[in-house]
Amino acid sequence: MNELNIDRLNLTSPYTLWRTENNSYGFRTNYGVIYRVGFYKNELIWADNSYEFGINNENHKTSPNDNKVKGTKPI
């Protein structure tokens, strides 16, 4: 899995992204919600090179409809 250029991503993201473990990325919203986004290896789906995409609310806070979340993407 290739790492993304975090400085380039942060030029256009409404929220600042940071790199976390397992090649995933995190960001905190104005409402205090911390998200972790990434692709995670999962060999239970298929034997070799299978990944799953996940968006996790790390601190389990209620997340209002925040349009900035949609614009914050590690792509």
Side-chain angles (χ1 to χ4, degrees), residues 5-19 26-27 72-73:
N5 184 323
I6 198 80
D7 294 325
R8 184 173 162 215
L9 292 170
N10 282 323
L11 288 175
T12 58
S13 290
Y15 291 123
T16 302
L17 291 152
W18 64 81
R19 206 174 267 109
F27 64 95
T72 307
K73 50 189 176 264

Side-chain angles (χ1 to χ4, degrees), residues 20-57:
T20 65
E21 73 283 344
N22 300 326
N23 289 325
S24 60
Y25 299 85
F27 64 95
R28 179 189 305 270
T29 70
N30 291 338
Y31 301 98
V33 181
I34 299 173
Y35 287 104
R36 184 169 45 100
V37 180
F39 287 92
Y40 308 99
K41 194 163 191 155
N42 184 339
E43 295 179 359
L44 298 175
I45 300 172
W46 292 285
D48 295 326
N49 296 320
S50 59
Y51 289 82
E52 63 183 325
F53 177 72
I55 302 173
N56 301 307
N57 180 329

